[in-house]
Amino acid sequence: MSDEVILRPATRADVPVLFDLIKALAEYEKLSDAVTGNAVDLENHLFADRPFAEAILAECEDRIVGWALFFYNYSTFLTQPGIYLEDLFVLPEFRGRGIGKSLIVYLARLTVERGCGRLEWSVLDWNELAIGFYKGDFISWRSHYDSQKRLSETGLFAESAVCNPSFPEKPGFWAPRGSILGWVNPSK
């Protein structure tokens, strides 16, 4: 058994495990009753000729222990596509090992590689654990300039990003529930 974390795109064969992990997220969020979808639809939406979403899986100790599901969005102000992180989840017994951070860094790199202008996400206002995670290395800010490049290269978010509610005039923005969090690709 290895503590090494392997990140990889989901395959069709992973759909049953991924759907189980989606249900685990719903249970964690006390929203199990809200899960009305199924693994068949998930497979169709991830692997159709024109997929609606993509998933990245984290493997550790020979099992899938975390995932991130994302899709494209579009910024009219940047006139650029972006990536929206719908959900990120790591099994509780595997938290604190850097797996969530690795998933975010993977998505940041993917955002840069695909020429997207932003990586964005939101967080529930009651989820203190998630807020703490994003405020840690990622600070849960929408940032500008060289922050995205630094995040994609090192996984460390820009120390220069400061809370500033006057976005977009100045870098840095912390947003409550329902607002967009993330960072802007400075090269776009």
Side-chain angles (χ1 to χ4, degrees), residues 16-129:
V17 174
L18 178 57
F19 192 69
D20 285 344
L21 289 170
I22 289 169
K23 292 187 286 187
L25 169 63
E27 183 178 326
Y28 172 78
E29 292 183 345
K30 298 176 179 40
L31 294 170
S32 293
D33 293 343
V35 178
T36 60
N38 58 68
V40 172
D41 287 343
L42 179 63
E43 181 177 352
N44 290 335
H45 295 147
L46 292 175
F47 299 104
D49 289 339
R50 185 175 173 204
F52 290 101
E54 297 177 58
I56 303 302
L57 303 180
E59 292 181 342
C60 185
E61 298 179 6
D62 300 318
R63 65 187 267 213
I64 298 170
V65 300
W67 57 280
L69 189 134
F70 62 97
F71 52 87
Y72 287 105
N73 60 13
Y74 193 80
S75 169
T76 55
F77 287 5
L78 296 176
T79 61
Q80 292 290 320
I83 290 180
Y84 183 81
L85 172 60
E86 176 66 20
D87 286 314
L88 184 148
F89 182 73
V90 175
L91 291 171
E93 62 269 30
F94 287 88
R95 292 180 185 160
R97 299 186 189 192
I99 296 170
K101 177 179 177 177
S102 295
L103 286 164
I104 289 281
V105 170
Y106 186 103
L107 286 174
R109 289 182 180 139
L110 199 62
T111 301
V112 171
E113 289 169 12
R114 293 184 181 183
C116 294
R118 292 184 179 152
L119 170 60
E120 300 176 301
W121 63 87
S122 61
V123 63
L124 297 171
D125 61 353
W126 62 262
N127 193 340
E128 294 297 327
L129 203 58

